[in-house]
Amino acid sequence: MQDIRYKTVGGAEVTIADDPQATRLAPIARAKCGGCRDFTHDYADEPDGGMRRLKKWASDHAAACRALPQSA
């Protein structure tokens, strides 16, 4: 999956990507804020790949988060 990014109010990015902890039997996608580091995840094997919930969470979080981008 190609990463999906949302810009937060504070300038950080909320990124939806494959979870590095995913396995072939339990594929998981994850949304994580690069500012406050809040995150959520969803199982990618659901009918819509969990994307509807992840996109909603990422969009809502980006609209409200005022954290500045964190360095890696």
Side-chain angles (χ1 to χ4, degrees):
M1 164 180 60
Q2 187 171 357
D3 292 356
I4 300 169
R5 291 185 170 83
Y6 294 82
K7 189 68 104 175
T8 69
V9 175
E13 288 185 344
V14 178
T15 304
I16 299 174
D18 290 327
D19 191 316
Q21 302 297 321
T23 66
R24 191 170 65 84
L25 298 175
I28 298 174
R30 176 175 171 150
K32 182 176 181 181
C33 180
C36 72
R37 304 285 191 199
D38 196 6
F39 70 94
T40 190
H41 64 267
D42 225 321
Y43 292 96
D45 60 350
E46 293 181 7
D48 69 346
M51 284 296 121
R52 183 174 38 239
R53 283 187 297 274
L54 283 175
K55 286 178 179 178
K56 176 160 180 22
W57 184 89
S59 177
D60 291 349
H61 185 82
C65 183
R66 301 204 183 308
L68 298 173
Q70 300 286 321
S71 59

